[in-house]
Amino acid sequence: MESLSMHHYPVGVFHPNLWGDYFITHASTSSNELSQIQSKIDELKLNPSKMLKETTNHHQSLVLIDTMQHLGVAYHFEIEIDEILNKIHRTGFNPSEDMQTVALGFRLLRQHGLPASPDVFTKFLDEDGDLLNLGSTQSIEDLLGLYEASYFLTPDEKILEKAAYHARNHLELVVDDLNPYMKQMVSRALQIPRLKRVERLEARQFINVYELQQNRIEMLLEFAKLDFQCVQSLHHEELRHLSLWKKEHLRTETKFPFARDRVVESHFWMTGVYFEPCYSSARIFAAKILYLMAILDDIYDQRGTPEELQLFTETINRWELKNCDKLPEDLKQYFHILDNTLKESQEELKLEHKSFRIEYLRDE
């Protein structure tokens, strides 16, 4: 059977690739500079770890953990943070602890997958679910903490509905009168709650916000700046690898001119899932698959006729190379690219005895 002819394809116009060869031609931080930065990080890292281990006060521990998460450095101290949160989960909150401490603890426990009952907020509410003495006994930190915690409730947990609503209204009324640090904290929360923020963007933005805090920990701020630079350099190298893979190995602009070129966006998406350095290989692989899936989507939307796409779908479902000869040249090339990408990743995973994961992915 001869290859299916190319005719009557729908036409779409996508925004062109904005990045070009930027990540290929622009060098990231030099290896010597990175080595110096890493040495300084290793030196500074001892202090936050010591602070987490030695702090016994719930409020201080939770504020420190929250600050580390905002700054994007909490991944360095996962063991210490887990120990603190597990201890709070076992012992519970003290009856005398204020709303900020309870709300922050509730949010962090749920954020880390630990059970936390919303009943801990009962003592701050009246019979109707309103905050007791709204605006008179609670600080801005209290109201902000409760508002952020409300996003970690499940749909059937109604206890904070009214309280969070009134807390938001009160924060909106006073935000312009707050000091620069609290104004930033409140306005950012009102715009995008903590739960919905992308971690890397949050780290970059919060570094500037934290500089406004009068009682900031200078050592922690310096540590966060250096760590951000180090992680950003790694992400730059990953983008360089992906850009070269796309340009020299795939040559997608020539083979699939109808498709979106979104390799940088695919990588950015994956940094939102896991940004930590230890996931570098997984991030690169996932970005490749996302990029190829975007092209696949455009093949179905922009490129193929119904007859071609039916055969193309059957080829992918069966994963049989012999059926490729019946496909148009560009669809044949796409299938080979997808197959080779999975095979290359499978070879890499053999070193970790995890190559079976590619078989699961291929089956899906």
Side-chain angles (χ1 to χ4, degrees):
M1 180 178 177
E2 295 181 357
S3 294
L4 296 172
S5 61
M6 298 169 54
H7 62 286
H8 302 303
Y9 299 132
V11 177
V13 178
F14 295 114
H15 196 287
N17 175 21
L18 298 174
W19 306 99
D21 292 340
Y22 178 86
F23 294 101
I24 298 175
T25 58
H26 286 69
S28 59
T29 309
S30 68
S31 57
N32 288 337
E33 187 177 356
L34 276 178
S35 178
Q36 295 175 3
I37 292 174
Q38 189 60 57
S39 296
K40 186 64 176 178
I41 288 174
D42 293 339
E43 176 186 338
L44 292 172
K45 183 178 177 179
L46 299 175
N47 293 315
S49 177
K50 183 179 179 181
M51 292 173 65
L52 286 169
K53 292 175 180 177
E54 294 181 351
T55 302
T56 57
N57 179 277
H58 278 184
H59 177 80
Q60 293 177 357
S61 296
L62 292 169
V63 169
L64 181 57
I65 292 171
D66 188 47
T67 301
M68 289 178 172
Q69 290 184 346
H70 277 288
L71 290 169
V73 298
Y75 73 95
H76 285 284
F77 313 104
E78 290 180 350
I79 295 176
E80 295 92 333
I81 290 173
D82 285 346
E83 288 179 354
I84 292 172
L85 295 180
N86 276 293
K87 182 178 179 180
I88 292 176
H89 173 247
R90 289 193 305 270
T91 61
F93 296 102
N94 298 325
S96 61
E97 287 178 322
D98 60 16
M99 186 189 297
Q100 182 191 9
T101 303
V102 172
L104 183 54
F106 174 85
R107 174 165 68 81
L108 291 177
L109 287 173
R110 288 209 166 181
Q111 189 174 317
H112 284 74
L114 294 170
S117 172
D119 293 339
V120 294
F121 294 103
T122 303
K123 66 179 181 179
F124 304 113
L125 308 174
D126 62 22
E127 294 180 356
D128 296 322
D130 288 316
L131 284 169
L132 294 169
N133 305 314
L134 176 63
S136 58
T137 60
Q138 297 93 6
S139 67
I140 296 300
E141 289 84 357
D142 290 338
L143 296 176
L144 179 60
L146 183 142
Y147 174 70
E148 291 280 27
S150 68
Y151 281 90
F152 285 82
L153 292 170
T154 60
D156 60 325
E157 293 173 336
K158 308 295 184 181
I159 186 171
L160 288 185
E161 272 191 352
K162 293 178 67 176
Y165 173 78
H166 291 304
R168 178 184 175 90
N169 286 343
H170 188 77
L171 291 171
E172 289 175 338
L173 289 173
V174 303
V175 62
D176 291 332
D177 300 323
L178 302 175
N179 65 58
Y181 172 72
M182 284 309 301
K183 182 177 181 179
Q184 283 291 321
M185 293 294 290
V186 171
S187 61
R188 293 174 76 242
L190 294 175
Q191 183 179 17
I192 304 177
R194 179 71 181 92
L195 175 64
K196 299 182 180 182
R197 297 178 199 166
V198 178
E199 291 301 317
R200 275 292 86 185
L201 295 181
E202 173 64 11
R204 178 63 187 88
Q205 294 169 5
F206 189 75
I207 285 173
N208 291 337
V209 174
Y210 191 56
E211 288 180 325
L212 300 174
Q213 188 173 12
Q214 293 184 351
N215 61 341
R216 63 185 177 271
I217 305 172
E218 291 292 348
M219 170 273 303
L220 187 58
L221 179 61
E222 182 185 3
F223 178 72
K225 289 180 178 180
L226 293 172
D227 185 71
F228 186 90
Q229 185 178 354
C230 195
V231 174
Q232 186 181 42
S233 179
L234 174 62
H235 291 169
H236 190 133
E237 284 302 308
E238 292 169 3
L239 282 165
R240 182 175 183 275
H241 170 89
L242 288 166
S243 298
L244 287 170
W245 169 76
K246 181 201 72 170
K247 181 179 181 179
E248 299 178 358
H249 183 62
L250 301 189
R251 299 192 295 277
T252 49
E253 295 90 342
T254 303
K255 296 177 180 178
F256 313 109
F258 55 85
R260 289 164 290 181
D261 185 354
R262 297 294 182 263
V263 71
V264 175
E265 289 81 354
S266 297
H267 179 269
F268 180 74
W269 190 356
M270 295 321 303
T271 61
V273 178
Y274 33 58
F275 71 87
E276 295 88 342
C278 63
Y279 298 120
S280 180
S281 296
R283 203 159 37 242
I284 290 173
F285 171 68
K288 287 180 178 180
I289 296 301
L290 280 175
Y291 177 66
L292 292 176
M293 291 304 100
I295 295 176
L296 181 64
D297 183 58
D298 293 333
I299 285 175
Y300 280 92
D301 288 345
Q302 303 289 330
R303 159 65 180 85
T305 64
E307 295 81 9
E308 292 169 345
L309 294 177
Q310 182 177 355
L311 180 59
F312 185 55
T313 301
E314 291 174 358
T315 302
I316 292 178
N317 285 338
R318 296 175 181 174
W319 212 272
E320 295 178 348
L321 294 175
K322 61 183 181 181
N323 284 341
C324 281
D325 294 336
K326 303 174 184 178
L327 293 171
E329 186 60 30
D330 53 351
L331 300 190
K332 185 191 305 183
Q333 289 178 339
Y334 177 87
F335 183 80
H336 281 294
I337 288 172
L338 180 60
D339 184 57
N340 289 335
T341 300
L342 294 181
K343 286 179 179 177
E344 290 169 3
S345 298
Q346 193 168 28
E347 288 299 315
E348 293 176 7
L349 287 173
K350 278 184 179 179
L351 300 175
E352 303 175 26
H353 305 289
K354 298 176 181 178
S355 59
F356 63 90
R357 295 180 177 180
I358 300 299
E359 291 300 326
Y360 286 119
L361 177 61
R362 189 181 283 118
D363 291 340
E364 290 297 323

